[in-house]
Amino acid sequence: MSLKTYSFGLATRVEFGPGVIHQAGEEANKLGITKAMIIADKGIIEAGIVAPIEESLKEAGIDYVIYDQIVANPRDIHCAAGADFAKEHGTDGLIAIGGGSSIDTAKAIGTLITNGKTVQDWCGLDLLEKEIPPLMAVPTTAGTGSEVTFDAVITDTEKHEKLNILDIRIAPKVALVDPEVLLGLPKKMMASCGVDALVHAVEAYTCKTANAHTDAFALYAIDIISKNLRAAVEKPDIDNCTGMMLGSNIAGFAFGYSDVAAVHCIAEALGGRYDTPHGVSNAIMLPTVTAFNVPADIPKHANMARFLGVDTAGMSEKEAAYSCVDALKQLCRDVGIPKMREIDVIDPKDFRELAEASYRNISTPSNPRAITADDYYDLLNKAYYD
């Protein structure tokens, strides 16, 4: 077996299983946190998901404050306000509770607390000068994987584009991954977040920066997500929610230590312009972009089809590779992912600018097939009009 030389190391410790959110106080003590800043949106707080974490902190004798200025597609202005809030209250550690918006906001807040300046100053690869305060992440959706990545995606409110802080110094120290929190998740959110997790695994496996370790994570994630997503959407129980939370978490390790590719590049452009939910944006582009990428690596796409549950016996390798596109289309249909044209805010008149924004994305070079701004334009049209 011939492998390229690469480095691989995991920055986040995972505590996984039903009830682990009740360990928050104990874990905060291990991190040396004496006054925590809980970062969660108002909906998560009102749903009662933050309450057991608060109770655990109280039992551990840890003071805390709550910052709830969290929105989908987190914005630079809320990150800056959060950093000011943390300094005002003298916090020395962060606890992010929610989906990618809460966790990415926490990463950016931590960046500003210790490094100063603005979010825009730290967008890029390995630019931070100082590590952020200790961060604990508690995911409440099976989708983002942000609890184990060192990427924060933040919207520039002036340019209406998404920016990436990519630095190992923003990785959470510990993730409390509890499948019980998914049991009350709305059907549409379970579907879009679940496909988002699948996109992470698909792109991690097929992108140019993939390696043997991330391939192993990605394939397992593809397998377990495809086996559990439909059931988790229709009738969630602890078994399929465990499968989805595990799949999402492992997909996070996969793309966090390789990369994403053109699906994400387009999704982030859509989210930056229209504020569309990230999971939905990823899901509506997944089959179209995958079809474009198949020729770049027939063997990997054929193997992916098998992990998606396709019976490829009797197919040629090329037929098997393209069958993964049909499998992804069917999965998206089965869980109710809308067509791109059904999302009212998306306007084809914007596609040229969206294509240019997609092309500028930091992950464009990782796409398995060389891709231009014109290609992005064609993919947007194809996804919209098909």
Side-chain angles (χ1 to χ4, degrees):
M1 180 181 234
S2 176
L3 288 176
K4 62 185 178 183
T5 299
Y6 62 90
S7 176
F8 186 81
L10 301 179
T12 304
R13 172 169 56 87
V14 173
E15 297 294 327
F16 186 95
V20 296
I21 60 172
H22 298 284
Q23 298 172 200
E26 175 188 346
E27 293 296 339
N29 270 325
K30 289 180 184 177
L31 295 174
I33 297 173
T34 60
K35 187 170 185 180
M37 177 174 165
I38 292 175
I39 299 164
D41 68 56
K42 292 180 176 68
I44 291 291
I45 296 168
E46 291 170 2
I49 295 174
V50 175
I53 295 170
E54 291 184 72
E55 187 61 34
S56 181
L57 292 173
K58 291 174 184 175
E59 290 175 358
I62 296 172
D63 195 10
Y64 65 89
V65 292
I66 297 177
Y67 181 71
D68 63 5
Q69 299 303 299
I70 310 300
V71 296
N73 301 307
R75 293 154 171 72
D76 50 6
I77 55 173
H78 296 130
C79 298
D84 291 340
F85 182 89
K87 293 173 184 176
E88 177 187 345
H89 289 86
T91 61
D92 57 7
L94 309 171
I95 302 176
I97 307 165
S101 296
S102 294
I103 299 172
D104 282 8
T105 298
K107 291 173 181 176
I109 287 172
T111 296
L112 298 178
I113 289 171
T114 55
N115 292 272
K117 299 183 181 180
T118 69
V119 166
Q120 285 79 358
D121 289 311
W122 306 112
C123 289
L125 179 62
D126 296 334
L127 298 180
L128 269 65
E129 296 170 356
K130 298 177 182 178
E131 192 167 303
I132 70 171
L135 169 61
M136 183 190 312
V138 185
T140 60
T141 65
T144 71
S146 187
E147 72 275 6
V148 294
T149 71
F150 47 92
D151 181 13
V153 184
I154 306 297
T155 299
D156 184 318
T157 51
E158 290 189 3
K159 296 181 178 179
H160 300 287
E161 288 189 14
K162 290 196 174 187
L163 306 173
N164 297 74
I165 303 173
L166 281 161
D167 198 301
I168 198 71
R169 296 174 183 85
I170 66 172
K173 294 295 185 186
V174 62
L176 303 183
V177 186
D178 191 334
E180 287 185 342
V181 303
L182 298 182
L183 290 170
L185 203 66
K187 181 181 288 192
K188 287 184 178 180
M189 187 171 291
M190 182 73 83
S192 62
C193 291
V195 178
D196 187 19
L198 184 60
V199 174
H200 293 151
V202 167
E203 295 205 299
Y205 182 57
T206 57
C207 74
K208 289 181 179 177
T209 53
N211 60 63
H213 284 76
T214 58
D215 281 358
F217 281 116
L219 287 173
Y220 184 79
I222 291 168
D223 178 57
I224 196 168
I225 292 168
S226 63
K227 287 177 177 175
N228 285 280
L229 180 54
R230 292 175 176 89
V233 170
E234 290 303 320
K235 192 175 181 180
D237 59 32
I238 194 59
D239 289 334
N240 54 49
C241 285
T242 296
M244 287 306 302
M245 194 61 105
L246 184 60
S248 173
N249 181 248
I250 291 174
F253 278 123
F255 88 88
Y257 291 84
S258 57
D259 199 3
V260 288
V263 176
H264 267 78
C265 297
I266 296 174
E268 290 177 8
L270 291 169
R273 177 171 287 267
Y274 302 121
D275 207 26
T276 49
H278 180 66
V280 173
S281 298
N282 266 330
I284 60 176
M285 293 305 307
L286 175 59
T288 302
V289 175
T290 301
F292 173 84
N293 283 331
V294 167
D297 196 329
I298 294 292
K300 270 201 165 183
H301 284 88
N303 197 38
M304 186 167 70
R306 299 176 189 109
F307 278 82
L308 285 165
V310 178
D311 181 2
T312 61
M315 293 184 186
S316 68
E317 192 80 339
K318 184 176 180 179
E319 289 170 337
Y322 278 100
S323 73
C324 80
V325 179
D326 294 329
L328 293 172
K329 285 181 180 178
Q330 188 61 54
L331 180 58
C332 288
R333 281 195 293 266
D334 290 347
V335 299
I337 299 299
K339 297 283 188 181
M340 189 181 189
R341 61 181 174 272
E342 294 171 351
I343 301 174
D344 293 340
V345 295
I346 296 179
D347 188 344
K349 292 178 182 177
D350 298 329
F351 283 177
R352 182 59 66 183
E353 289 183 13
L354 288 166
E356 294 291 344
S358 301
Y359 183 70
R360 290 193 297 271
N361 191 288
I362 195 170
S363 293
T364 284
S366 295
N367 197 61
R369 181 177 172 184
I371 186 167
T372 66
D374 286 340
D375 292 326
Y376 277 119
Y377 180 72
D378 291 342
L379 290 169
L380 283 160
N381 279 287
K382 184 171 179 58
Y384 190 86
Y385 290 109
D386 270 4

